[in-house]
Amino acid sequence: MKLMILNVNNLTDARYYAARGADYLAFKFPNAMDEAPAFLKKVESILEWVEGVKILLHCNGSNYKLIETLEFPFNIEGYIVPNTAQLTKNIFGTEKKLIIEIVFNRCPTIETFNKTLAETKVNFPVLLTWESNVKAFDALCSEILSSTDWKKTFDNADRDIFLQLPIAAENSLSLLKYFTFQGIILSASEETIVGEKNYDAEDDLLDALEVM
């Protein structure tokens, strides 16, 4: 499985996840275009110390076309964009890879998830991200594991699906044993003291994934 890291915003996380074999690092592009120069300079300074990963920009959906007009000091693999109706009508023409984000906790039932997936209309990879708490994730995992309908949906999906795993979730590994995903997603975090972060929980999860 591929490993994608969202919300990278500091060198400590970038170097840690690159060393742990991350395939993609995703940086959240600012909503205001006038903040782009400072953002690009920061990302460039981080990437000077990182090798072997592909870079994605996490966009709000309305600005990714404008982003394409910028000159980047580093190579961009593609854009993560939300599954909005306006976006899917105007999605073709970009030279970069597009990846569609669906916030998984907004699709609490198989019916709403299937409807949301169908409304993306285009056959691009999908990220199932998670914005709620770990308890809610474990509860949804339990429901998915007990449902043949969920298994049918994932097994018959016409696109690659990446699933975000909350670090402390208890049911993550059970879900990955039951379903085949193209990749998993972890989220980086803010850095309070430069260069000082504890990755024990991340190490435990990544170590477990390596032996699956």
Side-chain angles (χ1 to χ4, degrees):
M1 287 185 294
K2 300 292 186 181
L3 175 61
M4 182 183 297
I5 312 301
L6 299 183
N7 302 313
V8 178
N9 59 30
N10 58 74
L11 177 58
T12 308
D13 278 338
R15 294 184 71 174
Y16 167 76
Y17 283 112
R20 288 303 314 239
D23 299 281
Y24 301 97
L25 298 182
F27 295 83
K28 198 167 187 66
F29 196 88
N31 291 332
M33 288 297 290
D34 59 0
E35 298 175 14
F39 167 79
L40 294 177
K41 185 175 181 179
K42 178 180 180 179
V43 175
E44 182 183 20
S45 68
I46 291 173
L47 296 182
E48 289 177 353
W49 299 92
V50 176
E51 294 181 348
V53 293
K54 296 178 180 178
I55 306 305
L56 301 171
L57 293 186
H58 199 166
C59 310
N60 64 20
S62 63
N63 63 359
Y64 82 99
K65 283 292 187 181
L66 291 175
I67 292 172
E68 280 214 305
T69 66
L70 299 175
E71 292 187 9
F72 291 97
F74 47 86
N75 184 59
I76 298 295
E77 178 74 8
Y79 308 123
I80 300 170
V81 289
N83 63 309
T84 61
Q86 179 181 4
L87 176 66
T88 54
K89 291 176 182 176
N90 301 285
I91 204 164
F92 297 100
T94 178
E95 296 180 356
K96 302 292 185 182
K97 176 186 293 185
L98 286 173
I99 304 171
I100 309 301
E101 177 185 15
I102 295 176
V103 181
F104 201 21
N105 50 280
R106 297 177 189 170
C107 306
T109 67
I110 185 65
E111 291 79 15
T112 54
F113 178 73
N114 282 336
K115 182 175 183 291
T116 302
L117 191 63
E119 286 175 349
T120 63
K121 301 179 184 178
V122 287
N123 189 20
F124 289 114
V126 167
L127 306 187
L128 301 182
T129 58
W130 190 260
E131 295 181 351
S132 187
N133 56 57
V134 173
K135 184 177 180 180
F137 181 84
D138 280 325
L140 181 57
C141 284
S142 296
E143 178 185 336
I144 291 173
L145 288 168
S146 64
S147 168
T148 56
D149 290 336
W150 278 103
K151 181 169 177 55
K152 185 183 299 183
T153 289
F154 286 134
D155 287 348
N156 296 330
D158 59 353
R159 62 201 77 188
D160 292 336
I161 295 179
F162 288 69
L163 176 67
Q164 182 171 356
L165 303 180
I167 296 296
E170 296 179 356
N171 289 331
S172 297
L173 297 181
S174 297
L175 197 65
L176 295 178
K177 290 177 181 177
Y178 192 57
F179 299 104
T180 300
F181 294 97
Q182 178 69 16
I184 64 166
I185 308 163
L186 300 180
S187 179
S189 58
E190 292 289 339
E191 185 176 53
T192 54
I193 301 177
V194 175
E196 295 186 17
K197 296 189 74 173
N198 186 306
Y199 292 103
D200 288 348
E202 288 83 351
D203 280 334
D204 288 344
L205 177 56
L206 292 171
D207 287 345
L209 291 171
E210 285 181 353
V211 299
M212 286 184 64

